[in-house]
Amino acid sequence: MATTSLDLAKVRNIGIMAHIDAGKTTTTERILFYTGVSYKIGEVHEGAATMDWMEQEQERGITITSAATTCHWPLDDVDHTINIIDTPGHVDFTVEVERSLRVLDGAVTVFDGVAGVEPQSETVWRQADRYGVPRICFVNKLDRTGAEFHRCVDMIVDRLGAVPLVMQLPIGAEADFKGVVDLVQMKALVWSAEASKGEMYDVVDIPDTHAEAAEEWRGKLLETVAEHDEEMMEMYLEGQEPTQEQLMAAIRRATIASTHTENEGQPTFTPVFCGTAFKNKGVQPLLDAVVRYLPSPLDVEAIEGTDVKDQEKVIQRKPSEDEPFAGLAFKIMSDPHLGKLTYVRVYSGRMETGTSVLNSVKGKKERIGKIYRMHANKREEISGVGAGDIVAVMGLKQTTTGETLCDEKSPVILESMDFPAPVIEVA
Ligand code: GDP
């Protein structure tokens, strides 16, 4: 049985947030589809099986039932683990939504390309601001009549007060939506006719019709990045053109830094992508962007908790397996086959099957039963899990959501007792 020590730099714990009907479910399904198609375990290519499963599920209308689903995405031939944490509901300003925001490190906000920024997009945006969650945006449904990418970008400024970084320009519109200009690579990504079968897009030269707009928006992109990143500003002032790697690194830094506490009150800097989840156009570049621009658990330097006896005393836990174990139970679900499953984000140390840990809130010992990594179409039993990861645990008898599990010898409480009470929104 696998015991996993993940390379944390290659892990992304993300949520997908949206106003109802913007396409959160469809985008998530497409992500699971593409990651399933491309994921290889050892020599065995699992693609075909996953695809069959997705096709079957799609006929019945697939629903994602897990509170956290693990998938894999190769970027530049390097495998990355993406844990998608379900951010429940679209509307409620509830503890549950806030708790899920707490356990994720980054998010994708999906907008409807016709409706743009809708009221619930504003609500989730503000919640994510409150929890300092770095975000990228996906303007979806560009195939729909009346969809307008740039109007949505303007609304991100006007309604959300954010700094959108336009990363792509659509080529063609509505039924004629053919691809995007990638302003970092300065290439056109043209959706392949094979896209629905899991093929990637074709990378070609920017068509003449879009050359001028591409130059104009590339200029804006460089300027905006420079305004939010010192290294880029120096190069900008010296008239140096950044390499692709330098530019991507700067965008990543700016995206992560803009939600840091030291930048509180400053507008959120957010790279914006576009496409249509429905027709499989744009989801693969979005996955690349998740890996490229959203933080890994290592970017979250330390989580703060409190002493068990003294709520005033702050204790920090770093995302390292050398630290004492600390994790947060963020969701309890009933699995039709396994029964009660407790979803845990491990912040520090390791959690192993068969060991005893402390529920520091209740002051009770718990035995860790089987540990599972939940995939879209299967679950994988693992014997242990390290800092930065998210798994489901069987056998916890006393633990409820929001409670901390930790090393008995180094107790800590991760979620304060005065965690915000639910605020019910009045429509
Ligand atoms: P959610 O409520 O945000 O999870 O939205 P869904 O993913 O359930 O999508 C709402 C509706 O929009 C469904 O009927 C989808 O089939 C449809 N939809 C989602 N993405 C797209 C898209 O890119 N283009 C079009 N035309 N329809 C879409």
Side-chain angles (χ1 to χ4, degrees):
M1 197 194 313
T3 172
T4 47
S5 265
L6 293 176
D7 175 355
L8 286 189
K10 301 193 182 70
V11 176
R12 301 290 177 273
N13 294 316
I14 66 157
I16 299 173
M17 316 190 305
H19 182 99
I20 191 158
D21 265 359
K24 173 178 134 164
T25 312
T26 315
T27 306
T28 310
E29 285 169 11
R30 290 287 98 195
I31 287 177
L32 295 176
F33 174 78
Y34 280 117
T35 54
V37 168
S38 63
Y39 183 41
K40 295 173 191 164
I41 297 178
E43 294 299 304
V44 188
H45 196 295
E46 293 226 317
T50 311
M51 218 148 63
D52 290 348
W53 172 81
M54 289 298 290
E55 275 159 18
Q56 279 171 25
E57 288 296 309
Q58 270 169 350
E59 278 169 24
R60 284 184 274 141
I62 140 170
T63 46
I64 285 103
T65 49
S66 192
T69 308
T70 303
C71 58
H72 293 261
W73 185 244
L75 178 70
D76 304 330
D77 287 330
V78 179
D79 182 52
H80 288 77
T81 300
I82 303 176
N83 292 318
I84 302 176
I85 296 102
D86 186 33
T87 46
H90 300 264
V91 218
D92 302 352
F93 200 80
T94 61
V95 170
E96 213 176 329
V97 178
E98 304 227 343
R99 193 165 280 134
S100 68
L101 287 175
R102 181 164 184 173
V103 298
L104 50 85
D105 299 320
V108 176
T109 311
V110 179
F111 298 102
D112 179 328
V114 180
V117 176
E118 299 170 87
Q120 289 157 27
S121 341
E122 289 186 49
T123 310
V124 286
W125 192 268
R126 312 239 175 274
Q127 285 172 319
D129 271 341
R130 214 166 131 211
Y131 281 82
V133 178
R135 263 148 291 165
I136 59 177
C137 295
F138 183 62
V139 179
N140 187 31
K141 301 200 185 183
L142 284 195
D143 60 310
R144 281 187 61 199
T145 310
E148 265 189 55
F149 175 64
H150 288 290
R151 184 181 56 215
C152 189
V153 172
D154 290 343
M155 288 173 89
I156 292 173
V157 179
D158 298 340
R159 297 266 174 93
L160 304 177
V163 178
L165 184 73
V166 174
M167 300 288 285
Q168 300 174 330
L169 299 177
I171 302 174
E174 300 174 359
D176 228 11
F177 175 55
K178 289 191 194 67
V180 292
V181 172
D182 179 318
L183 294 167
V184 171
Q185 292 183 59
M186 285 304 265
K187 286 281 181 189
L189 316 183
V190 180
W191 318 129
S192 151
E194 297 291 299
S196 61
K197 299 198 184 84
E199 296 293 323
M200 306 290 270
Y201 42 81
D202 297 319
V203 181
V204 298
D205 287 337
I206 297 172
D208 291 344
T209 44
H210 289 70
E212 203 177 311
E215 285 301 331
E216 185 195 332
W217 282 94
R218 164 84 176 187
K220 287 188 197 179
L221 176 137
L222 291 177
E223 206 177 306
T224 311
V225 179
E227 280 165 8
H228 289 82
D229 186 76
E230 263 174 49
E231 220 172 281
M232 216 33 51
M233 182 53 102
E234 273 174 33
M235 293 184 79
Y236 188 75
L237 292 175
E238 284 168 17
Q240 279 180 32
E241 182 75 10
T243 63
Q244 235 184 78
E245 284 69 33
Q246 285 170 328
L247 184 53
M248 286 175 182
I251 295 171
R252 177 185 175 80
R253 280 196 299 269
T255 305
I256 296 172
S258 83
T259 57
H260 265 195
T261 36
E262 70 214 37
N263 284 326
E264 215 174 316
Q266 299 290 321
T268 301
F269 174 97
T270 181
V272 185
F273 301 82
C274 62
T276 152
F278 204 45
K279 303 257 171 78
N280 317 321
K281 297 170 177 175
V283 172
Q284 290 169 330
L286 180 67
L287 274 161
D288 289 345
V290 163
V291 173
R292 277 204 178 107
Y293 304 117
L294 289 179
S296 83
L298 289 179
D299 291 302
V300 185
E301 284 150 22
I303 182 164
E304 289 196 345
T306 58
D307 188 84
V308 179
K309 297 198 185 75
D310 177 6
Q311 265 215 55
E312 301 295 308
K313 193 171 151 198
V314 173
I315 296 178
Q316 286 200 336
R317 288 277 181 266
K318 296 199 176 68
S320 156
E321 298 200 356
D322 300 332
E323 293 259 307
F325 164 62
L328 184 76
F330 65 94
K331 178 92 185 172
I332 292 176
M333 283 179 96
S334 178
D335 181 276
H337 307 288
L338 305 175
K340 183 177 157 188
L341 284 180
T342 308
Y343 285 82
V344 177
R345 158 120 194 196
V346 180
Y347 283 96
S348 60
R350 288 190 62 80
M351 178 172 74
E352 311 280 352
T353 295
T355 59
S356 166
V357 298
L358 178 73
N359 174 327
S360 55
V361 176
K362 291 212 170 89
K364 297 237 160 86
K365 279 193 194 176
E366 281 273 35
R367 195 176 163 280
I368 302 294
K370 291 183 174 174
I371 302 175
Y372 292 100
R373 198 182 282 295
M374 306 298 274
H375 299 276
N377 58 341
K378 63 180 184 332
R379 53 182 177 265
E380 178 192 354
E381 191 182 337
I382 53 177
S383 61
V385 59
D389 216 339
I390 293 181
V391 288
V393 183
M394 236 171 96
L396 298 184
K397 297 208 169 61
Q398 330 213 34
T399 302
T400 53
T401 48
E403 292 181 343
T404 304
L405 298 171
C406 60
D407 186 333
E408 297 175 57
K409 292 193 223 75
S410 307
V412 60
I413 292 179
L414 295 178
E415 191 174 287
S416 66
M417 299 301 185
D418 55 6
F419 194 71
V423 176
I424 309 299
E425 283 219 332
V426 182

